[in-house]
Amino acid sequence: MSDAPPAAPAADDLDAFRRHGHELIDWVADYLGGAERYPVLPSVAPGDVRRALPASAPEQGETYAAILDDFERVLVPALTHWNHPGFFGYFAITASAPGVLAELLSAALNQQAMLWRTSPAATELEEVALGWLRQLLGLPEAFEGVIYDTASISTLHALAAAREAIAPEVREHGMQALGGRALRVYGSEQAHSSVEKAVILLGLGQASLVKVPCDHEFRMRPELLRAAIETDRRAGAIPMAVVATVGTTSTTSVDPVAAIAEICDEQRLWLHVDAAYAGVTAMLPSCRSRFAGWEAASSIVVNPHKWLFTPFDLSAFYCRRMDVVRQAFSLVPPYLRASDGARNLMDTGVQLGRRFRALKLWMVLRHFGASGIRAHLEEHMRLARLFAGWVDAHPDMERLAPVPFSVVCFRAVPTQGPAAAGAPGSRWPDDAALDQLNERLLEAVNASGEVFLSSTRLHGRLVLRLAVGHLRTTEAHVTRAWQRVGEALAALTDEPAP
Ligand code: PLP
C-alpha cells in the first residue's frame, strides 16, 4: 500500500467558468429582454420538477454543459416568470440588469459583513446606499438604516425593538418578567400578515395583535385605535407599538399616518410604518402627501425588491432608535470581539452573517438615477389609472378600491341580459355565485399565458388585482390584460346556463 495522500480534487475549472459564464450572460440578457416568449405561469403540476431530477446528488462532478442542459430542460419550463412584463400578480417586481450584475459580483466576492473588518466595503456601502435612499425618500438624517432580507424581518426587528424599549426586562427573563400583563400591538385589519407572524415569533402571542377596523377606503380608523389602546390600558395590558401601513397589500390603501403618529406620541408608543411596497413613491412630489407624518415614526420599512427594480431580496429598514435595536440584539462572543471601534452589522439584528446586498441597491440607484426611477414609477401609476378608467367605464365591471399607486382591485358584475346578478333566472344570483364567476374569470385570463393577475378578498368578496410594477411593462401589456379580461368575461357570460 502506498503512503501517498489521495490526489486532491481539482479546484474549480475557471476556463469552463469563463466560457459558460459568457454564454450565461448572453442567456440572461436574452431572458431579461425576451421573457415574453415564456408563458407567465408554467404548465406544471406539483411534483413534476422533483420527479424529473435524480433522487440523489451525483458521486462524480458533472460538466457545466450537462447541468445547464437540465436547467433549460427541467427548471425553465417550471418557472413562474416574475420578469415577464405581463406579470401583474401580487406586487410586480423586476430583476433589473444592474441588479443582476451586482448579484453576480456579490456571489463571487462572498462577503460576510458581520463585523466591519470582515467587510469594510459591504458595511460602509450599506450606510452610503441607505443614506442615498433615505434622502430620496425625504426622511430626516435621524433615521439610521440597515438592510434585511425581507419586510417581514424588518417588521420583526421593529417590534423586537419596541418590546425592548418598553419592557427591557423581557430580553433577560422572558415574558414572565411582566407578571402576566400582556403586551399589545395595533395594526389595521388590512395590515400585512407579517405583523401577526412577528408577534407570534416574539412570544407575545397572536392575540396580542389588535386589528383596528378600517373605513370604507380600507384605512385604519384612528379614533378606534385610540379607543382600543385606552380599553387595553384599563384592562391592565401594556400597549407597545402601532403598525401603520402606507400601501396595504390587498388594496394599497394608506393609513392616516399623521393622526396615528399623534396618538403614538401622546401614548408613548413605538410607531412602525410598513411602506414595503409603496414607500418608494415618497420620491415623487405627486405622492408626498400620502406620507405626511411618517417622519415621526420610530421605524419604517421600504422594500427596494418590490418596486425599486432591485432583484429579490432587499428590504431597507430605517430606525430613529437603532440604539434600541442594538440593545435588543447585540451579543458579542469572544471570538467576534473587535477593537477597531467601528459599527458592526451583526449588532443590528438576529443574523450574524450579512450578504453584500447593498451592492445591488447602490448599482440600481446609480444606473437609473433618481429621475429615471421617478419616471418609471410615474409611468406605472399612469398605467394603473388607465386600467382603472377602463374598469370604471365598463358596465359589467366594478372597481372595489381607490387606486393611490399602481394596483387596481376589480371584479366582474354582469348587469345585462341573462348574466345579470340577481335577475330572475340569472346564473349569478348572489355574491357567492359572482365569486365563482370571478374565480373562473381569473383562471381563464391566467391560462392565456400572456398575463398573470392575482386575487384578494374585500368585504368578503373575491376581487381580481392588477399590480403594475415591472420595468418592461408598457401600455401594450396593460391593454392586453384588459383585452384578455374582456374576452374571458364574454366567453363566460355567453356560456349556456347549466
Ligand atoms: N408589508 C406589505 C405591505 C406587503 O405588501 C408585504 C408583501 O407583499 C410585506 C410586508 C412582506 O414583504 P416581504 O415578502 O418582503 O416579507
Side-chain angles (χ1 to χ4, degrees):
M1 253 172 70
S2 151
D3 283 346
D12 282 355
D13 174 351
L14 291 182
D15 287 334
F17 169 79
R18 191 184 303 277
R19 220 171 38 254
H20 288 284
H22 284 297
E23 273 172 27
L24 274 187
I25 289 289
D26 284 341
W27 190 94
V28 171
D30 290 344
Y31 176 69
L32 294 180
E36 279 178 88
R37 66 178 179 275
Y38 303 101
V40 193
L41 290 181
S43 311
V44 285
D48 283 357
V49 175
R50 201 180 52 242
R51 278 191 295 274
L53 294 170
S56 316
E59 187 58 32
Q60 304 299 330
E62 297 184 57
T63 61
Y64 283 120
I67 302 165
L68 294 174
D69 263 5
D70 279 352
F71 168 72
E72 284 268 14
R73 186 180 60 82
V74 182
L75 300 182
V76 173
L79 291 171
T80 297
H81 291 284
W82 289 74
N83 259 321
H84 192 300
F87 189 106
F88 295 113
Y90 314 112
F91 285 122
I93 57 174
T94 309
S96 65
V100 172
L101 288 180
E103 286 288 55
L104 177 65
L105 286 174
S106 169
L109 297 170
N110 211 16
Q111 296 293 283
Q112 264 265 28
M114 51 191 184
L115 299 170
W116 174 85
R117 79 159 174 223
T118 62
S119 186
T123 305
E124 294 190 19
L125 189 69
E126 186 155 323
E127 195 178 328
V128 170
L130 288 179
W132 288 4
L133 181 61
R134 178 186 55 69
Q135 288 169 30
L136 291 173
L137 300 175
L139 288 170
E141 231 173 293
F143 281 97
E144 188 183 335
V146 66
I147 294 176
Y148 298 127
D149 54 0
T150 57
S152 304
I153 298 302
S154 292
T155 295
L156 175 68
H157 283 87
L159 294 181
R163 191 189 65 187
E164 180 69 18
I166 201 160
E169 61 273 37
V170 173
R171 173 175 158 143
E172 174 97 24
H173 302 289
M175 291 294 286
Q176 66 208 22
L178 299 180
R181 292 182 73 195
L183 295 173
R184 286 273 190 269
V185 176
Y186 307 82
S188 92
E189 55 194 4
Q190 293 288 323
H192 191 263
S193 55
S194 53
V195 181
E196 202 155 346
K197 282 198 184 177
V199 299
I200 295 170
L201 198 57
L202 289 170
L204 272 55
Q206 212 166 347
S208 69
L209 177 63
V210 179
K211 295 185 181 178
V212 180
C214 290
D215 66 11
H216 64 289
E217 292 193 358
F218 309 101
R219 301 170 296 201
M220 187 196 285
R221 291 177 56 187
E223 75 283 10
L224 297 185
L225 169 66
R226 189 193 298 276
I229 294 169
E230 284 167 0
T231 304
D232 281 341
R233 282 204 200 283
R234 278 196 299 276
I238 308 173
M240 176 185 109
V242 178
V243 179
T245 311
V246 178
T248 57
T249 313
S250 277
T251 70
T252 73
S253 59
V254 178
D255 286 338
V257 180
I260 294 169
E262 220 170 90
I263 295 171
C264 288
D265 185 44
E266 194 182 280
Q267 300 274 346
R268 298 254 158 273
L269 298 184
W270 187 285
L271 171 59
H272 175 61
V273 174
D274 179 354
Y277 149 73
V280 290
T281 65
M283 294 184 202
L284 306 175
S286 62
C287 290
R288 234 8 246 180
S289 62
R290 291 173 200 148
F291 294 84
W294 80 327
E295 67 287 344
S298 302
S299 58
I300 293 175
V301 57
V302 174
N303 271 6
H305 74 222
K306 278 194 166 46
W307 201 6
L308 196 59
F309 320 124
T310 306
F312 190 77
D313 48 14
L314 196 160
S315 179
F317 177 70
Y318 288 101
C319 191
R320 277 183 177 276
R321 304 174 67 186
M322 207 62 99
D323 54 315
V324 182
V325 178
R326 291 195 178 91
Q327 208 173 292
F329 290 105
S330 185
L331 199 63
V332 186
Y335 44 83
L336 290 174
R337 292 217 175 115
S339 54
D340 47 39
R343 278 193 172 160
N344 299 314
L345 288 174
M346 71 169 194
D347 293 331
T348 39
V350 170
Q351 228 182 314
L352 172 63
R354 300 294 181 112
R355 234 152 72 59
F356 197 175
R357 289 195 182 87
L359 189 60
K360 57 186 168 180
L361 178 58
W362 181 67
M363 283 180 62
V364 164
L365 292 175
R366 291 189 66 172
H367 182 80
F368 292 103
S371 66
I373 292 166
R374 286 194 196 99
H376 283 297
L377 298 177
E378 288 284 13
E379 174 62 2
H380 290 165
M381 293 197 295
R382 183 188 75 81
L383 294 176
R385 286 194 300 270
L386 189 67
F387 191 93
W390 295 333
V391 170
D392 292 347
H394 196 292
D396 292 344
M397 294 285 181
E398 178 184 39
R399 186 157 57 83
L400 286 102
V403 181
F405 303 107
S406 70
V407 171
V408 185
C409 293
F410 66 102
R411 68 171 186 163
V413 190
T415 53
Q416 305 280 317
S426 163
R427 284 170 289 151
W428 291 279
D430 52 31
D431 270 331
L434 271 177
D435 280 358
Q436 274 180 18
L437 169 74
N438 280 283
E439 189 90 59
R440 292 182 64 201
L441 177 61
L442 185 63
E443 275 169 23
V445 169
N446 290 343
S448 74
E450 287 185 278
V451 294
F452 170 57
L453 274 60
S454 59
S455 64
T456 187
R457 283 196 170 265
L458 297 175
H459 303 305
R461 298 177 217 147
L462 186 110
V463 174
L464 278 60
R465 263 175 98 264
L466 174 121
V468 185
H470 190 271
L471 195 61
R472 291 195 165 72
T473 296
T474 64
E475 190 167 325
H477 299 102
V478 175
T479 305
R480 196 164 310 146
W482 178 243
Q483 285 165 347
R484 293 290 160 266
V485 169
E487 287 161 12
L489 182 62
L492 286 170
T493 51
D494 283 351
E495 273 180 9

